[in-house]
Amino acid sequence: MCIQESCGKMFPVIKCKAAVAWERGKPLCIEDVDVAPPKVHEVRIKIIATGVCHTDWEYLYETEKGMKFRPFPLVLGHEAAGVVESVGPEVTKFSPGDKVIPLFLPQCGECKRCQCPKTNHCRKNWENTQMGVLADGTSRISCKRQQVFQFLGVSSFSEYTVVPDTSLAKIRSDAPLDKVCLLGCGVSTGYGAAVNTAKVEKDSLCAVFGLGAVGLAAVMGCQVAGAKRIIGVDINPDKFEKAKAFGATECVNPRDHSKSIQEVLVAMTDGGVDYALECVGSPDVMSAALESTADAWGTCVIAGWTETEEMKVKVLKILMGRTLKGTYFGGEPKMSLPLDQINVAFGLLKSGKSIRTVINL
C-alpha cells in the first residue's frame, strides 16, 4: 500500500514489529503494526536501538499515580537512535540515511523559547505529542486497523516510527547508535542537570540521589565540572561500584542509617552539600535532597520525573538562602536485548539489576 504525498512522491506503508501497550498494568505485546508515511514536516526513521527508561515503565504500571493519563493503546519508548528512512514534504534538514536521535522535547529554532538562551522548553506541537499524536491530531502507527498512540510523540519501541522534523537531531555518521541512543533522555538529563542547571563549580561538594542512568550521568557531570566530593545516594548497593567508576567519591545507602539521609549528609559534609541532584522522581527524595544542601548557598536540582505528585518544602529552607530548581531533558548501557525481550527489560529496570537496558531493533 502506498500513499501519495503533496510533493508527488509515493511512500509505502511499512509493516514491522512493535511492542504495543494495549492497556495499563499489562505486559507489552509484540505485534505487527503499520507505520504510515511521513506527512508535511515529518520524518520516518528506522529505530536501531532504544533505551528502556523508568518513565516508560511508570506510565505502563503507575499511570495516574505519578503520571498524567494518556490514551491506550500506545507504543512506549522515547530514548532512541536510528536512521532516516524517508522524509515528508517541506523537510529540508534531513535526508534518507542520516543517523538521528528522536527528541521528546522539540526544538523548532524559531519560537520565543528557542531564541532564549535561558531554556530549551520549545512548545512546538507540545500539546499534541504529549497526548500521543502528531501535528494533525493523529498517530502514524496502527495495529489491527486501530490507531496506536505514540508516547511523547516518539514511540521508539517500534522498528519504525514517524516524528516531526522539529523533534529530531542529526548526529555524526560514525556514531555508535547503541550508545548514543542514551543521549535521547538519560544522559542529557543527568549531565545537563549538573552542568547546565546546577552549574556545579570546581571543588564543590555534591550529592546525587538515585544512581540509575540519569544519576550516573549527573555524577559524570559533577566530575567534569571539577567537584571535590561526589556522594552517590541509593538504596541499591549493587549500583555503588558503577557510580564510583563514573566519578562518585563515596556512596551512601539510606537504609544503613537510623537518621534521615539529609541528616546523614549534613553531618558528613559539616553543614550540607553545595549541590544536590535528585534523579529519582520521588517527592520524598526531592525534599530530602533540598534539606541536604547547605543553607545560604546550597542548590537542589530536580531531574527525576513525576507529573502529578506534590513536593513538600519547608519555607524556612528556602528563606535561609537555598535554591530549588528543576530541569527537563537537561551511561553506558548495562546490556542489550532484542525487541521481544522488552518485558524482561522492564523487570530488570524495576528490580534494579540494570542501570539502563538497550533494546536492539
Side-chain angles (χ1 to χ4, degrees):
M1 177 181 177
C2 294
I3 296 178
Q4 186 168 357
E5 297 293 334
S6 60
C7 61
K9 294 182 179 179
M10 300 291 289
F11 293 105
V13 171
I14 290 179
K15 294 183 180 294
C16 66
K17 298 289 186 182
V20 178
W22 289 103
E23 56 182 309
R24 63 184 181 182
K26 302 292 185 181
L28 305 179
C29 297
I30 306 303
E31 304 278 9
D32 292 314
V33 300
D34 293 331
V35 180
K39 296 187 178 183
V40 176
H41 284 296
E42 294 178 357
V43 178
R44 186 162 60 185
I45 58 179
K46 176 177 175 56
I47 299 293
I48 302 300
T50 180
V52 180
C53 179
H54 189 270
T55 303
D56 299 309
W57 180 92
E58 187 177 34
Y59 185 73
L60 182 61
Y61 291 106
E62 295 188 353
T63 187
E64 295 190 302
K65 292 182 181 179
M67 296 280 289
K68 294 178 181 177
F69 178 79
R70 293 173 176 83
F72 287 86
L74 82 164
V75 173
L76 293 163
H78 62 281
E79 180 185 73
V83 178
V84 173
E85 179 272 336
S86 58
V87 299
E90 300 183 30
V91 173
T92 59
K93 296 181 180 180
F94 302 97
S95 301
D98 287 345
K99 286 188 175 182
V100 291
I101 295 176
L103 308 173
F104 58 87
L105 181 64
Q107 291 291 291
C108 73
E110 300 174 353
C111 70
K112 179 179 180 180
R113 293 189 176 199
C114 282
Q115 295 297 321
C116 176
K118 296 180 179 180
T119 183
N120 62 343
H121 291 191
C122 176
R123 286 296 183 266
K124 181 77 171 181
N125 295 323
W126 175 261
E127 292 184 0
N128 278 1
T129 56
Q130 285 293 302
M131 293 307 295
V133 295
L134 302 187
D136 67 348
T138 66
S139 167
R140 301 292 166 267
I141 301 175
S142 61
C143 182
K144 301 175 182 177
R145 298 184 178 182
Q146 182 178 355
Q147 175 173 262
V148 177
F149 294 93
Q150 296 181 228
F151 187 57
L152 302 181
V154 179
S155 286
S156 58
F157 291 174
S158 174
E159 292 177 325
Y160 286 84
T161 190
V162 177
V163 300
D165 62 358
T166 52
S167 297
L168 202 60
K170 184 178 178 179
I171 56 176
R172 286 171 38 166
S173 61
D174 60 346
L177 299 182
D178 61 336
K179 302 295 191 299
V180 298
C181 66
L182 300 180
L183 293 172
C185 180
V187 172
S188 297
T189 298
Y191 189 88
V195 175
N196 298 329
T197 308
K199 293 181 170 55
V200 171
E201 296 176 317
K202 190 176 186 301
D203 294 328
S204 59
L205 308 181
C206 299
V208 177
F209 290 74
L211 298 175
V214 176
L216 289 180
V219 168
M220 185 168 57
C222 291
Q223 183 190 51
V224 169
K228 180 168 59 178
R229 288 179 72 183
I230 305 170
I231 305 171
V233 180
D234 203 291
I235 59 174
N236 184 352
D238 292 342
K239 297 180 179 180
F240 292 172
E241 182 179 354
K242 179 63 69 175
K244 290 179 180 178
F246 272 73
T249 56
E250 56 214 286
C251 295
V252 179
N253 184 342
R255 292 177 175 173
D256 291 340
H257 301 270
S258 58
K259 294 183 178 180
S260 68
I261 186 59
Q262 53 265 50
E263 292 176 300
V264 171
L265 290 174
V266 168
M268 287 177 61
T269 57
D270 190 25
V273 297
D274 302 309
Y275 301 97
L277 299 137
E278 194 279 343
C279 303
V280 178
S282 162
D284 289 339
V285 177
M286 294 173 186
S287 297
L290 175 64
E291 294 178 13
S292 72
T293 61
D295 62 15
W297 66 76
T299 295
C300 174
V301 174
I302 306 300
W305 181 253
T306 182
E307 291 181 309
T308 62
E309 298 176 285
E310 296 181 356
M311 172 187 174
K312 293 182 179 179
V313 177
K314 296 177 181 178
V315 175
L316 183 62
K317 298 297 181 181
I318 302 297
L319 288 175
M320 294 305 292
R322 294 177 178 84
T323 299
L324 176 63
K325 307 176 74 174
T327 189
Y328 186 64
F329 196 21
E332 61 185 5
K334 191 74 170 184
M335 62 187 70
S336 294
L337 294 172
L339 179 62
D340 61 8
Q341 294 295 298
I342 186 71
N343 291 302
V344 174
F346 272 142
L348 292 169
L349 182 71
K350 184 58 178 174
S351 68
K353 294 181 180 179
S354 171
I355 292 170
R356 191 61 124 230
T357 301
V358 170
I359 299 295
N360 293 315
L361 285 84

